[in-house]
């Protein structure tokens, strides 16, 4: 009699190539809806016998979940950010957490730059004018925006994605400033970015683009005080996590024209609620968390998550562990 294979639970439909990484080795159970996250009660029930979970940022891995998952060895997140996971609680239970760094860097930087440009040049508004038959004539100051070329870009978090955005900015002749916990001379040499304290960066920048992870330290790092330091012509771009910016303070800053506009891919609560006041503003561009959403990149992310899970359960050697101390 052959021993039963370890059970792995996958929380959404994935590209077939990623499932093929898992199927030869594990019994794979799966939530098979495309766009609806697995309900919490189903997820908790599936946890009971799973040795591995391949999840998305829509799933919360917390103490309650871990208590219901006595056999769990690994949580493979299909995202680079892992603020949906209580990593300390996982480590305490010797549950390894993995993420998908690198494979999504360039696609996310493309989206951040696209959002910066769409916001600066008011592209969604301009499209609406055409589609709603409100285009009367070429007019001198009609739909005028902010110049991107040769402007100053302030980057919060000059990590993988922050650097990739800085490289794009140099093609537009922009001056690039950055703020991070640690100064990186190597990143400065690669991108030409200049290190600034946060207050100076906010005062000097025409565009501020956020690329830090969400942590207790970065939560609401941009709030009312910070908007007060920014130029009235400034544009904020957030493709990091919604909670890095105080959304109520952002709404007031946009409404009162303390800053000029914002481009947002991420929100404090996702999906954005139907009654969010942000929806009432004409100086904000809203996207549904699509930073890494290209066919190639999402496929690579799914493959990376599946490979992490397989390599840890079969060989104890994950590719990108978040808490390697859980393996000790
Ligand atoms: P990364 O390479 O780890 O870069 C993060 C940067 O933030 C690092 O430079 C880090 O530098 C800095 N940082 C961390 N904590 C900080 C703090 N408390 N104060 C100031 N700076 C801090 O990560 P990445 O791959 O670029 O990804 C960044 C984030 O983007 C992810 O965590 C995720 O939330 C988000 N993301 C969003 C999408 C999307 O679809 N919108 C897609 C991918 C990623 P130091 O450690 O030197 O401070
Ligand atoms: C997406 O938001 C990610 O963190 O990969």
């Amino acid at each position: 009699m052959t021993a039963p294979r370890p059970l792995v639970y996958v929380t959404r439909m994935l590209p077939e190539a990623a499932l093929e990484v898992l199927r030869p080795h594990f019994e794979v159970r799966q939530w098979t809806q495309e766009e609806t996250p697995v309900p919490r009660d189903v997820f908790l029930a599936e946890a009971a016998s799973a040795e591995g979970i391949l999840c998305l940022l829509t799933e919360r891995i917390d103490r309650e979940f871990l208590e219901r998952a006595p056999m769990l060895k690994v949580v493979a997140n299909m995202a680079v950010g892992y603020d949906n996971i209580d990593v300390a609680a996982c480590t305490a239970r010797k549950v390894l957490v993995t993420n998908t760094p690198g494979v999504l860097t360039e696609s996310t930087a493309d989206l951040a730059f696209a959002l910066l440009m769409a916001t600066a040049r008011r592209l969604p508004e301009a499209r609406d004018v055409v589609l709603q038959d409100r285009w009367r004539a070429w007019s001198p100051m009609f739909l005028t925006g902010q110049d991107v070329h040769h402007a100053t870009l302030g980057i919060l978090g000059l990590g993988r994605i922050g650097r990739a955005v800085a490289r794009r900015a140099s093609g537009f002749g922009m001056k690039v400033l950055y703020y991070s916990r640690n100064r990186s001379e190597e990143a400065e040499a690669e991108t030409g970015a200049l290190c600034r304290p946060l207050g100076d960066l906010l005062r000097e920048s025409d565009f501020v683009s956020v690329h830090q992870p969400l942590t207790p330290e970065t939560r609401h790092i941009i709030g009312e005080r910070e908007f007060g330091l920014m130029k009235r012509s400034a544009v904020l771009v957030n493709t990091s996590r919604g909670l890095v910016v105080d959304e109520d303070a952002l709404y007031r800053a946009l409404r009162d024209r303390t800053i000029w506009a914002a481009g947002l891919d991420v929100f404090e609560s996702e999906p954005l609620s139907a009654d969010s006041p942000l929806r009432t503003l004409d100086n904000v561009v809203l996207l549904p968390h699509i930073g890494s959403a290209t066919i190639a990149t999402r496929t690579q992310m799914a493959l990376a998550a599946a490979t992490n899970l397989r390599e840890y359960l079969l060989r104890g050697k994950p590719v990108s562990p978040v808490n390697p101390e859980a393996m000790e």
Side-chain angles (χ1 to χ4, degrees):
M1 233 173 68
T2 49
R5 299 189 303 170
L7 182 82
V8 162
Y9 187 67
V10 177
T11 64
R12 200 75 65 81
M13 287 293 279
L14 291 183
E16 197 50 32
L19 296 168
E20 281 166 16
V21 169
L22 302 173
R23 283 198 188 112
H25 312 283
F26 310 113
E27 183 191 339
V28 179
R29 291 177 58 87
Q30 192 178 7
W31 178 252
T32 53
Q33 294 195 19
E34 289 273 1
E35 290 178 26
T36 312
V38 56
R40 181 77 174 171
D41 57 332
V42 175
F43 194 32
L44 291 177
E46 293 287 357
S49 44
E51 290 190 37
I53 298 282
L54 193 163
C55 68
L56 314 184
L57 51 79
T58 44
E59 277 75 60
R60 211 173 63 250
I61 306 291
D62 54 12
R63 282 175 199 283
E64 180 196 32
F65 179 84
L66 293 169
E67 271 159 26
R68 303 280 281 271
M71 301 173 67
L72 190 62
K73 297 191 175 109
V74 56
V75 175
N77 211 32
M78 187 183 139
V80 65
Y82 46 83
D83 46 279
N84 55 314
I85 300 172
D86 184 337
V87 176
C90 286
T91 306
R93 287 174 176 262
K94 300 250 176 253
V95 171
L96 183 78
V97 177
T98 66
N99 67 343
T100 62
V103 293
L104 45 56
T105 298
E106 300 297 332
S107 300
T108 307
D110 283 349
L111 189 279
F113 215 82
L115 184 53
L116 183 155
M117 295 197 73
T119 310
R121 299 300 301 271
R122 305 169 61 181
L123 299 192
E125 266 183 275
R127 179 178 182 273
D128 287 351
V129 163
V130 176
L131 293 182
Q132 295 164 6
D133 210 13
R134 290 188 284 118
W135 182 18
R136 298 290 163 257
W138 191 97
S139 305
M141 298 308 284
F142 180 52
L143 279 171
T144 46
Q146 303 289 346
D147 273 329
V148 173
H149 68 87
H150 299 99
T152 298
L153 169 65
I155 293 179
L156 269 60
L158 198 65
R160 287 172 293 251
I161 298 169
R163 285 190 210 196
V165 169
R167 289 196 296 272
R168 283 154 180 72
S170 72
F172 284 74
M174 296 177 96
K175 175 177 176 182
V176 181
L177 310 176
Y178 79 98
Y179 164 75
S180 235
R181 286 176 305 190
N182 308 301
R183 189 172 165 197
S184 165
E185 288 180 11
E186 184 232 326
E188 288 173 19
E190 182 200 333
T191 61
L194 306 169
C195 191
R196 291 279 192 278
L198 182 57
D200 291 357
L201 178 146
L202 295 171
R203 272 186 282 269
E204 289 178 48
S205 296
D206 301 302
F207 296 89
V208 173
S209 192
V210 187
H211 300 287
Q212 296 159 316
L214 173 62
T215 68
E217 259 184 304
T218 62
R219 190 188 159 100
H220 286 188
I221 198 165
I222 304 285
E224 185 156 351
R225 182 182 157 276
E226 288 69 31
F227 290 120
L229 298 176
M230 289 169 70
K231 297 182 183 180
R232 291 189 86 84
S233 56
V235 173
L236 174 78
V237 178
N238 187 6
T239 57
S240 142
R241 283 291 182 269
L243 277 161
V244 171
V245 174
D246 177 342
E247 210 165 271
D248 290 339
L250 172 62
Y251 167 72
R252 291 192 297 275
L254 290 168
R255 181 196 63 193
D256 302 343
R257 309 280 159 171
T258 308
I259 65 168
W260 192 74
L264 307 173
D265 185 43
V266 288
F267 302 90
E268 286 197 346
S269 170
E270 297 180 5
L272 187 66
S273 76
D275 57 4
S276 166
L278 288 172
R279 292 172 184 262
T280 65
L281 300 170
D282 60 7
N283 55 345
V284 61
V285 176
L286 307 170
L287 301 181
H289 202 148
I290 55 165
S292 61
T294 70
I295 297 165
T297 294
R298 286 285 168 84
T299 304
Q300 288 303 315
M301 289 165 68
L303 278 169
T307 304
N308 264 313
L309 193 152
R310 182 192 66 192
E311 290 306 296
Y312 184 56
L313 287 186
L314 293 189
R315 283 175 266 281
K317 289 193 180 355
V319 183
S320 41
V322 168
N323 58 344
E325 60 278 17
M327 297 189 282
E328 285 158 13

